[in-house]
Amino acid sequence: DLVPCYLFGNTKLLNGWCGEGLPGQSRHWLQMLSRKLGFAIIFVYGRFGLPVPFRKPILAVVAKPIPTKHVQCEDPPMELVLKIQKELLGEMERVFESYKKHYGWEDKKLIIK
């Protein structure tokens, strides 16, 4: 089964830096190094400049499970995958809209791309 859940405040636990504010040549060097390595160089930090999360409140909401036991094959039909995905994303949106006011996010919108 798939269990939809949403953690309000999760994005406030750590900060990320990927070269903002660097002078032109330094930023260019960082971009070239990232391309050469094949992945972006991002520094993640929290308290004390370490990867220790900031102390922020988190609201975890768990929704009803979406049954998937009926999918018993290695390569399920795309229609079935899309149906379950639509149900999962719909439940995620429902959870977000139902509980965002409890975290003080009345003005926030959930964007799923």
Side-chain angles (χ1 to χ4, degrees):
D1 292 353
L2 292 175
V3 181
C5 61
Y6 193 89
L7 296 172
F8 291 89
N10 193 45
T11 57
K12 303 221 180 264
L13 296 180
L14 295 167
N15 290 326
W17 180 82
C18 56
E20 296 91 2
L22 284 176
Q25 282 295 8
S26 297
R27 187 164 174 99
H28 177 69
W29 178 83
L30 188 61
Q31 288 174 344
M32 284 180 39
L33 181 60
S34 293
R35 286 192 183 112
K36 192 161 205 78
L37 293 172
F39 58 88
I41 298 175
I42 300 173
F43 299 100
V44 178
Y45 62 94
R47 288 189 288 164
F48 318 115
L50 299 171
V52 176
F54 294 110
R55 292 181 182 217
K56 300 287 182 183
I58 299 288
L59 171 62
V61 182
V62 180
K64 63 179 181 173
I66 298 169
T68 58
K69 287 186 174 49
H70 61 284
V71 182
Q72 296 290 325
C73 58
E74 288 285 323
D75 192 20
M78 187 52 72
E79 302 82 37
L80 181 58
V81 171
L82 293 174
K83 177 183 175 282
I84 293 171
Q85 181 187 39
K86 183 178 178 182
E87 195 175 340
L88 175 67
L89 295 178
E91 193 63 16
M92 293 290 295
E93 288 179 26
R94 184 195 70 76
V95 164
F96 183 83
E97 292 300 324
S98 298
Y99 289 90
K100 68 181 183 179
K101 62 182 172 282
H102 298 291
Y103 198 72
W105 283 5
E106 293 86 354
D107 60 331
K108 300 269 186 188
K109 293 187 182 205
L110 179 64
I111 299 172
I112 299 175
K113 294 182 179 182

